[in-house]
Amino acid sequence: MGSALSFHLGRLAVLLLQPLRRMRTESLKSGAMLVSDNLETRAHCGQNTPAEPKFAAQRLICECFYTDNYHIKEVNRHVSYVDRRSFENSEEGRKILTPLGTARRETIIAALEQESRRRHNLLAEALDRSKHIRAHYKPLHPEVYELRAEWIHPELEAIRATLFSEGGSSSQASKAAEVRALRNRLREYPPGVFSFPVFTRDFCQRFVAEARHFNESDMPKARPNSMNKEGVLLEECGYYEGLLDPLLDKYLKPIAAQLYPDYGGATLDHHRSFTVKYHEDGDVELAYHYDDSEVTLNVCLGEQFEGGELLFGSMRDCASQTSRYPLRHDVVNAMLPMF
């Protein structure tokens, strides 16, 4: 199976590139949480669109999706889950369930069963939603579904130019020079976490407006994961072919290939993209977790807000799990970590 890229396009902006060994991230609730107009939308203009959409998940999906990384909100833990009997008999399940009363145990099992059904029915339901959106949704800003030159921040173009300045030389000295030139253009804090701008402010404003338009419509919407209750899956909305696939191929893969050659950076071949939304009356934080991807792109597209820091911690196989690095993102910016 190839390497995966996860785009988290939302108000909490950061671009993180994550090695195969998982990095831990969490949301830090502080002050007034963002009052965010989430980004999501798949407004499809209906032009140059295949009649029968095919999802990346249909082409390449890992069996671990159906069993791994289930979040139990009541105890703020991520677990593996196949079925009730195996979970109750597992060491992990016994540690969680034994101290609890019958009612709480049943609540947890019911939530895990519901999440299992959701995952197994995901593809069929996603295809139905996507077909309906393609047939009936009228976008406010159809131009944001296409990766245009004016949408890319000049600094990202400069970074890409740096990567190809050696004319494709394969010598070790030239590759080392490319990596040094690349790192010099990126802000690094903490060690191994890089930040740089991705989109222009104009694109961000249009994207947020399009997202709000989609959210206020009567189109069917799916939550992006078991932790975020707001946001949408961008593949269902039609952002892959014209916007996100080209962004991956033209800009992100070359960067990942230079920074993460030993962790799948040069072999990214699919992605799962979605938006998230945090605000005082909805989701206000994200549980500590490992992303199921080699690279995670999280871009700040939102408006003015307070709070919303992102905390980076150690990788799963590191001896120390105590370090936390809070990072603040600004609109148009992104980050990527390497540990």
Side-chain angles (χ1 to χ4, degrees):
M1 177 169 164
S3 301
L5 170 68
S6 293
F7 295 94
H8 301 261
L9 297 174
R11 287 206 43 138
L12 284 180
V14 282
L15 167 66
L16 14 129
L17 279 169
Q18 181 168 314
L20 286 167
R21 297 173 295 169
R22 306 301 179 212
M23 178 177 299
R24 307 183 80 174
T25 62
E26 65 180 334
S27 223
L28 175 65
K29 179 181 178 182
S30 66
M33 281 312 276
L34 7 174
V35 183
S36 153
D37 292 307
N38 205 24
L39 353 164
E40 40 258 54
T41 72
R42 140 20 157 193
H44 216 288
C45 60
Q47 297 177 354
N48 301 320
T49 304
E52 293 294 327
K54 282 205 169 184
F55 287 166
Q58 290 178 282
R59 300 190 298 269
L60 192 60
I61 188 168
C62 180
E63 286 298 318
C64 66
F65 169 74
Y66 298 108
T67 59
D68 292 2
N69 207 30
Y70 281 62
H71 181 238
I72 302 178
K73 185 176 182 180
E74 290 80 357
V75 294
N76 197 23
R77 288 275 300 275
H78 286 82
V79 301
S80 297
Y81 187 80
V82 176
D83 55 46
R84 175 172 186 150
R85 182 176 180 180
S86 59
F87 182 70
E88 290 177 332
N89 292 330
S90 69
E91 180 180 358
E92 183 178 40
R94 288 195 299 270
K95 285 182 178 179
I96 294 173
L97 299 175
T98 300
L100 306 178
T102 301
R104 291 189 68 192
R105 287 200 298 267
E106 289 302 318
T107 297
I108 288 174
I109 293 296
L112 291 171
E113 282 289 298
Q114 181 180 15
E115 174 62 12
S116 178
R117 289 192 297 271
R118 184 191 74 84
R119 295 189 185 194
H120 282 87
N121 295 330
L122 194 65
L123 281 179
E125 293 176 354
L127 278 170
D128 287 342
R129 285 191 299 270
S130 183
K131 291 175 183 178
H132 182 85
I133 292 169
R134 288 167 183 257
H136 301 289
Y137 180 67
K138 298 297 186 291
L140 179 67
H141 290 292
E143 67 274 12
V144 300
Y145 297 91
E146 178 184 1
L147 188 67
R148 300 180 180 180
E150 61 264 34
W151 299 154
I152 296 298
H153 196 282
E155 181 59 22
L156 183 57
E157 285 289 4
I159 291 169
R160 183 174 182 271
T162 298
L163 291 173
F164 294 98
S165 62
E166 301 296 326
S169 174
S170 60
S171 71
Q172 292 296 328
S174 294
K175 288 182 178 180
E178 285 180 356
V179 173
R180 285 195 301 271
L182 172 61
R183 292 172 71 102
N184 287 339
R185 297 203 72 102
L186 307 178
R187 178 180 179 271
E188 183 178 8
Y189 175 80
V193 178
F194 300 93
S195 64
F196 53 87
V198 175
F199 297 115
T200 62
R201 191 170 293 271
D202 181 31
F203 173 84
C204 293
Q205 291 173 344
R206 295 181 193 221
F207 191 94
V208 170
E210 177 63 37
R212 186 185 297 115
H213 180 67
F214 181 80
N215 282 332
E216 292 174 353
S217 74
D218 60 357
M219 292 296 106
K221 306 170 185 72
R223 61 190 174 104
N225 52 58
S226 61
M227 296 178 291
N228 293 106
K229 301 302 186 291
E230 299 185 60
V232 297
L233 297 169
L234 296 179
E235 186 169 20
E236 295 183 12
C237 298
Y239 281 104
Y240 273 32
E241 299 93 337
L243 180 70
L244 296 178
D245 287 347
L247 180 70
L248 170 63
D249 291 336
K250 187 174 181 179
Y251 296 97
L252 301 178
K253 285 172 68 172
I255 294 174
Q258 293 291 355
L259 293 179
Y260 307 104
D262 298 328
Y263 299 102
T267 59
L268 301 177
D269 54 16
H270 68 288
H271 60 91
R272 182 176 186 268
S273 303
F274 56 89
T275 64
V276 294
K277 177 179 179 178
Y278 297 94
H279 62 109
E280 292 176 327
D281 298 323
D283 288 336
V284 296
E285 62 183 354
L286 184 63
Y288 203 29
H289 68 283
Y290 301 95
D291 279 357
D292 186 18
S293 61
E294 282 68 52
V295 176
T296 299
L297 174 69
N298 190 322
V299 183
C300 187
L301 304 173
E303 297 151 341
Q304 297 300 316
F305 60 90
E306 296 179 3
E309 288 87 353
L310 185 69
L311 295 186
F312 289 95
S314 303
M315 292 183 300
R316 180 176 301 186
D317 55 358
C318 287
S320 172
Q321 301 285 357
T322 60
S323 298
R324 300 288 187 275
Y325 301 95
L327 297 175
R328 161 81 187 201
H329 291 294
D330 299 316
V331 177
V332 313
N333 259 3
M335 293 182 197
L336 61 148
M338 177 178 64
F339 283 86

